[in-house]
Amino acid sequence: MNDEKQPLLIGPNSPLDNLEIQNVELSSGPVQSPKDDKAKDVYHPAAERNLEHPTSNFDTMIHLLKGNIGTGILAMPDAFKNAGLFFGVFGTLIMGAICTHCMHILVQCSNELCVRNQRPAMSFAEVVEEAFAMGPVSLRSYSKKMKNMVNIFLVITQLGFCCVYFLFVATNLQDTMQIFHINLSVHTYLALLFPCILALAMVKNLKYLTPVSLIASIMTAWGLMITFYYILQNLPHTSSVKAFASWHQLPLYFGTAIYAFEGIGVVLPLENNMKTPEAFGGWNGVLNTGMVIVAVLYTAIGFFGYLKYGNHVHGSITLNLPDDLLAQSVRAVMAMSIFLSYGLQFYVPMNIVWPYVKSKLTSEYALKHGESVTRIILVLITFVAAALIPNLSGIISLVGAFSSSALAIIFPPFIEIMTFWPDRLGKDDWMLWKDVVIILFGLTGFAFGTYASIENILQHV
């Protein structure tokens, strides 16, 4: 074992990406790891991480909450509208349990593969690559393709979040400015926001975004408290809304709900950066504690928001609040919070796309200006998407059904099957059947949710 400390790998790309994965042909028997059993017993990935500023359990909890609580929580009343009041409660809690379980799967498989390969940490895409590289022999040649597919879904998901953020800020700003009798179209506000968001997206160093993220978190907490203050007043009887909406609307609910549980991409970076990573898992660990808080918040705001406003609820609950000064401040504060969060969301797709683009550039001039041009193009993509589809609830549902479902529900059980194939899948292969059920659930939501979201968007174009 190499005793030298290795740098922590947290991004989607790392210097180890260029290593070739060697296929190991098996004559018979179960899959063997590339290292002997003794090395596997003594290697501890967490001990090999060279962390300059490791995070405490509390820090990790705050980051986990911030990674999961964004525009999705404000869309939960709209999700309940497509599910029904009581079905929405059970559906959201079940969805939260499935997503949390898939997060545990990802962390467990990452640790297992780190031990096998004697690497301190891996990103989401690297975990997929290594799982397929060590899985069934017939699937090992697809390891690179699977890694690229995960990176593509990560880019689509994060750019989708950025698109939602763009539109969220514009619609809330439009609603706020009407109090001053300024009536402009949402497209005008998108155009006015473009240079501001572009300037934010040009920030290349994450450390400069840290104070911005802290301010955004405080603003989000304030906005949620005031939102609850309004929606908990003068609540009608539960019989005033539907307990179950309709089967036709359920795919839209799925897309919005799975979008809300948007934290799958931050799980491995958070666990990799912890001072005590062993405290991340477990029944009362950081992950379960944080996700219980998230699920309760989602359920509460979805339940009371839909009960309060019924079928008149908008894609963001802030748009339903009254026109008094306090409510307008909520819209302004939440719009500013989401605006400030754009740079952090944008960092992920840029960190994936730029190394690929950079590898294709040859001239010194192209390398000098290539990163800035790439940032401008990616921001422009989110701007054009928001301008072409100014339907907040439709975009949220589409992003959730198409890309979030793949990352949060479909890929993790696939990774678990590949990692523990063929003889470590539990008694009577119960893990295999459990994972197959989750995959089928994810694929069903992916297909029907994407179709219903596109249909919903086309109806409002």
Side-chain angles (χ1 to χ4, degrees):
M1 183 184 76
N2 186 2
D3 292 327
E4 183 182 352
K5 293 281 185 179
Q6 300 184 50
L8 174 64
L9 310 175
I10 60 172
N13 300 287
S14 72
L16 291 174
D17 287 350
N18 297 324
L19 292 180
E20 293 295 328
I21 304 298
Q22 297 183 0
N23 292 340
V24 181
E25 299 295 335
L26 303 180
S27 56
S28 63
V31 174
Q32 299 292 327
S33 67
K35 309 296 178 183
D36 58 30
D37 291 336
K38 182 178 179 181
K40 184 174 179 180
D41 289 338
V42 299
Y43 187 82
H44 301 286
E48 301 299 314
R49 297 170 185 169
N50 187 14
L51 301 173
E52 185 177 354
H53 300 291
T55 56
S56 66
N57 294 352
F58 180 76
D59 293 335
T60 304
M61 174 79 71
I62 297 300
H63 289 312
L64 182 65
L65 294 175
K66 183 65 179 73
N68 280 277
I69 299 175
T71 53
I73 190 172
L74 300 174
M76 285 308 296
D78 182 62
F80 272 58
K81 180 179 71 175
N82 291 313
L85 190 65
F86 295 110
F87 188 87
V89 170
F90 293 110
T92 302
L93 294 177
I94 291 172
M95 193 85 73
I98 294 174
C99 289
T100 303
H101 176 66
C102 288
M103 291 176 182
H104 278 288
I105 288 175
L106 189 59
V107 172
Q108 181 185 9
C109 292
S110 174
N111 290 332
E112 171 70 20
L113 293 168
C114 283
V115 170
R116 291 185 194 177
N117 292 277
Q118 295 197 359
R119 291 170 60 173
M122 293 185 189
S123 68
F124 195 153
E126 289 169 341
V127 170
V128 173
E129 181 183 30
E130 293 293 345
F132 272 79
M134 294 182 173
V137 177
S138 60
L139 298 178
R140 292 181 184 178
S141 60
Y142 295 98
S143 60
K144 286 287 185 183
K145 292 184 176 67
M146 293 304 299
K147 176 185 177 182
N148 292 334
M149 184 180 295
V150 168
N151 277 333
I152 289 172
F153 273 103
L154 280 170
V155 170
I156 293 173
T157 301
Q158 293 301 131
L159 289 181
F161 290 164
C162 290
C163 178
V164 171
Y165 282 22
F166 222 134
L167 192 56
F168 178 90
V169 177
T171 51
N172 279 272
L173 190 59
Q174 179 191 37
D175 199 68
T176 301
M177 295 306 291
Q178 286 178 353
I179 197 173
F180 302 106
H181 305 291
I182 300 175
N183 299 309
L184 300 175
S185 68
V186 68
H187 294 91
T188 303
Y189 285 105
L190 286 170
L192 292 173
L193 284 169
F194 180 77
C196 302
I197 286 184
L198 181 61
L200 198 61
M202 297 302 285
V203 178
K204 299 179 181 180
N205 197 324
L206 263 183
K207 73 176 183 179
Y208 298 123
L209 293 174
T210 301
V212 173
S213 181
L214 177 61
I215 295 171
S217 300
I218 296 172
M219 287 181 167
T220 300
W222 164 259
L224 287 177
M225 285 191 295
I226 302 303
T227 300
F228 272 110
Y229 167 76
Y230 278 104
I231 64 176
L232 291 176
Q233 294 187 49
N234 302 318
L235 286 171
H237 195 271
T238 53
S239 60
S240 63
V241 293
K242 297 178 180 178
F244 175 79
S246 70
W247 291 104
H248 178 73
Q249 292 174 275
L250 279 184
L252 294 174
Y253 161 77
F254 173 86
T256 305
I258 198 65
Y259 172 93
F261 291 98
E262 59 190 63
I264 187 73
V266 304
V267 169
L268 286 183
L270 289 179
E271 194 268 349
N272 290 341
N273 278 286
M274 287 185 69
K275 184 178 181 180
T276 55
E278 63 275 7
F280 192 73
W283 284 104
N284 60 342
V286 173
L287 179 57
N288 279 354
T289 304
M291 291 308 294
V292 166
I293 295 173
V294 168
V296 169
L297 273 175
Y298 286 173
T299 305
I301 199 166
F303 181 91
F304 293 113
Y306 175 52
L307 180 59
K308 174 75 173 179
Y309 298 109
N311 289 330
H312 299 292
V313 72
H314 293 295
S316 169
I317 189 65
T318 56
L319 299 175
N320 285 102
L321 301 182
D323 293 330
D324 58 48
L325 189 60
L326 184 60
Q328 292 294 349
S329 73
V330 171
R331 281 190 275 269
V333 164
M334 291 302 293
M336 180 59 68
S337 170
I338 296 303
F339 168 76
L340 294 176
S341 301
Y342 185 98
L344 198 59
Q345 294 290 350
F346 184 80
Y347 183 84
V348 177
M350 185 62 197
N351 202 31
I352 297 173
V353 172
W354 170 236
Y356 174 78
V357 174
K358 185 178 180 180
S359 66
K360 304 298 180 182
L361 303 180
T362 54
S363 69
E364 184 177 342
Y365 180 84
L367 288 171
K368 182 179 179 181
H369 301 285
E371 184 173 0
S372 296
V373 173
T374 303
R375 289 177 181 273
I376 292 171
I377 291 174
L378 291 180
V379 173
L380 195 60
I381 289 173
T382 64
F383 168 76
V384 171
L388 291 177
I389 317 172
N391 179 350
L392 187 60
S393 63
I395 292 183
I396 287 176
S397 182
L398 179 60
V399 172
F402 181 77
S403 52
S404 296
S405 63
L407 293 173
I409 297 181
I410 298 174
F411 280 117
F414 260 123
I415 293 171
E416 185 171 53
I417 294 172
M418 295 297 103
T419 300
F420 298 107
W421 181 272
D423 61 343
R424 296 178 59 191
L425 292 170
K427 184 178 180 181
D428 298 325
D429 293 335
W430 70 268
M431 288 171 58
L432 172 64
W433 300 115
K434 177 262 298 180
D435 288 336
V436 168
V437 170
I438 296 176
I439 291 169
L440 290 176
F441 172 72
L443 289 173
T444 302
F446 174 90
F448 287 101
T450 301
Y451 174 80
S453 299
I454 292 175
E455 183 182 46
N456 180 47
I457 289 172
L458 293 177
Q459 287 176 354
H460 293 86
V461 171

